[in-house]
Amino acid sequence: METLRQRFFMFLCIFAVAFVSSCGDDDDTVTPVALDLESLSAGDTDLNAATAPSNVPSGASIVAVFTRDMDASTANTDNITLVRDYDNESLDLNISTSGNTITIDPAEPLGEGTQYMLSFNGNVAAADGETINAFQRSFTTAGSFVPSGQVAYWPFDGDANDAVGDFSPATEDVVAITYGSDRLGNDGGAAVFDGDASIIEVPNGPELLSGEFSMSYWVYINTENHLDDGGNPAGHFIMGLGNFRGFQFETNGGVDFLKMAKQYALSGEWEGEVGGSDFFFNGDGIDRDAGGFYATTFERDLGEQGVPGILKDQWAHVVVTYDGGPNIRHLYINGELMQTDDLGSLSEVPEEPALNRIASANRMTFIEGD
């Protein structure tokens, strides 16, 4: 009898458990999956890692996968942005949605070695209307840093090759060049020229000439023991493109000025003729309103230090921009605007008409610079 009572008690327990379980089955309430970012990648690179990646392929699509299906109407460029770090430029994006996946394709390939910031704001929503928590992810593309639109880059890291374009010199056109420390102290990071025989020539340099360009270079103008045959401080030919049918950067022995000497092939009624006006900067602050060159709308006054104070026997960063439409050129040294010339004013001068087209040239020659 004791055994029978035990079995009956066990039956009641099992029945009670089954009854409770069956009652639960009548409840159809389902807890929704939390809306969250499941993964974020560009090619095989994880953009959602704890450390911002630095090897992102420049041509890869960015794919964001969420835990629930997304509302395609909210996945747009108002709510999703990709900003380039060095100029804070927001890129054009093509964005598509499929289920729980949002795919982002930049309209143009990303630059190499460039940092970007990807942002999703709080207006991106799931298909049921719930919005995401806003987030940002930073990443850097693989390769050497090259600003958008750059066509050539000579880093001089132990050789004279162009790192991004097709302007590497032939072996025989790199003469008497050694490689020393760059401005950051990296061994072999700068080309060293002896001021006599050293030269680097790029045979297809004419392809770099156009009616609109920007040029940037680092240079250390070393005046120590740089003397001419008479024992006087010698001038420095820094770099040039096309010589007398292009331009060249130069200075004197005292580094009292920086000059981009140049010539242009003229068009229109002056077709076949050559004109030019040197881009001459001496830091005296005299613009056209003060009696200076009539195209100079701004020239920085460097005071007593003059040009030697920023160029002589030290590293300096030089940038020149030229826009052939309005014929305006700018000179920057170490990030500061030094001079602006409005060459459109030359159309008012019969002996020096408007300069509309840069001439072709035979070679591009780098004599000093990084």
Side-chain angles (χ1 to χ4, degrees):
M1 290 296 293
E2 187 66 28
T3 302
L4 179 60
R5 283 196 297 268
Q6 289 176 347
R7 289 178 179 175
F8 181 71
F9 178 73
M10 291 177 62
F11 170 78
L12 288 176
C13 289
I14 294 172
F15 176 80
V17 172
F19 177 78
V20 172
S21 177
S22 65
C23 289
D25 289 342
D26 292 336
D27 186 357
D28 294 329
T29 302
V30 178
T31 302
V33 176
L35 178 58
D36 199 2
L37 178 66
E38 193 170 86
S39 65
L40 183 66
S41 61
D44 295 329
T45 305
D46 182 8
L47 302 184
N48 203 32
T51 302
S54 58
N55 59 343
V56 176
S58 59
S61 297
I62 298 172
V63 179
V65 179
F66 293 85
T67 51
R68 286 159 42 198
D69 287 353
M70 303 302 292
D71 179 357
S73 68
T74 66
N76 54 53
T77 53
D78 289 331
N79 300 328
I80 301 172
T81 59
L82 184 63
V83 176
R84 190 167 52 212
D85 178 72
Y86 67 81
D87 61 358
N88 204 36
E89 179 74 14
S90 185
L91 306 187
D92 292 333
L93 303 175
N94 298 314
I95 303 174
S96 59
T97 303
S98 177
N100 66 338
T101 301
I102 296 177
T103 302
I104 304 163
D105 287 302
E108 297 181 359
L110 303 181
E112 294 186 355
T114 304
Q115 185 176 1
Y116 295 89
M117 179 66 75
L118 176 68
S119 300
F120 281 63
N121 69 21
N123 295 322
V124 179
D128 61 6
E130 183 180 353
T131 57
I132 68 169
N133 291 321
F135 65 87
Q136 292 183 319
R137 296 293 184 270
S138 175
F139 65 86
T140 302
T141 51
S144 300
F145 170 70
V146 178
S148 177
Q150 185 166 336
V151 297
Y153 172 47
W154 291 269
F156 294 143
D157 288 336
D159 59 47
N161 293 333
D162 173 14
V164 302
D166 299 317
F167 297 94
S168 295
T171 301
E172 61 271 19
D173 289 333
V174 181
V175 179
I177 297 295
T178 58
Y179 296 92
S181 297
D182 63 16
R183 68 188 188 282
L184 302 177
N186 299 313
D187 291 338
V192 179
F193 298 76
D194 63 12
D196 182 18
S198 297
I199 190 170
I200 298 173
E201 295 183 312
V202 181
N204 56 336
E207 297 175 21
L208 291 167
L209 287 165
S210 67
E212 182 177 296
F213 65 85
S214 296
M215 179 175 295
S216 167
Y217 62 89
W218 283 93
V219 60
Y220 188 105
I221 300 176
N222 185 2
T223 64
E224 185 178 359
N225 298 323
H226 186 56
L227 307 174
D228 60 20
D229 293 338
N232 301 308
H236 302 260
F237 182 89
I238 300 171
M239 61 173 291
L241 178 57
N243 202 7
F244 296 110
R245 287 299 181 91
F247 60 81
Q248 62 192 44
F249 287 90
E250 60 185 79
T251 187
N252 64 352
V255 196
D256 299 307
F257 61 82
L258 181 64
K259 180 174 73 172
M260 188 175 82
K262 66 210 156 304
Q263 289 189 344
Y264 303 83
L266 304 180
S267 59
E269 61 183 286
W270 302 286
E271 187 73 38
E273 297 183 18
V274 174
S277 60
D278 292 345
F279 198 4
F280 183 90
F281 174 69
N282 63 1
D284 61 9
I286 300 177
D287 59 20
R288 65 185 181 186
D289 293 332
F293 178 52
Y294 55 85
T296 301
T297 59
F298 171 78
E299 175 156 338
R300 183 173 295 278
D301 186 354
L302 296 179
E304 293 184 3
Q305 71 165 341
V307 175
I310 57 175
L311 284 182
K312 184 178 180 181
D313 298 320
Q314 60 191 301
W315 283 104
H317 185 228
V318 178
V319 174
V320 169
T321 68
Y322 174 73
D323 186 346
N327 279 316
I328 295 176
R329 62 194 181 189
H330 302 281
L331 169 68
Y332 301 83
I333 300 178
N334 296 333
E336 293 190 21
L337 178 64
M338 294 293 159
Q339 185 169 324
T340 297
D341 284 0
D342 178 4
L343 294 172
S345 303
L346 297 179
S347 60
E348 304 168 3
V349 184
E351 66 271 18
E352 213 165 6
L355 308 179
N356 299 316
R357 181 166 58 86
I358 297 179
S360 62
N362 294 322
R363 287 178 180 268
M364 181 173 186
T365 305
F366 283 81
I367 300 302
E368 293 203 33
D370 178 14

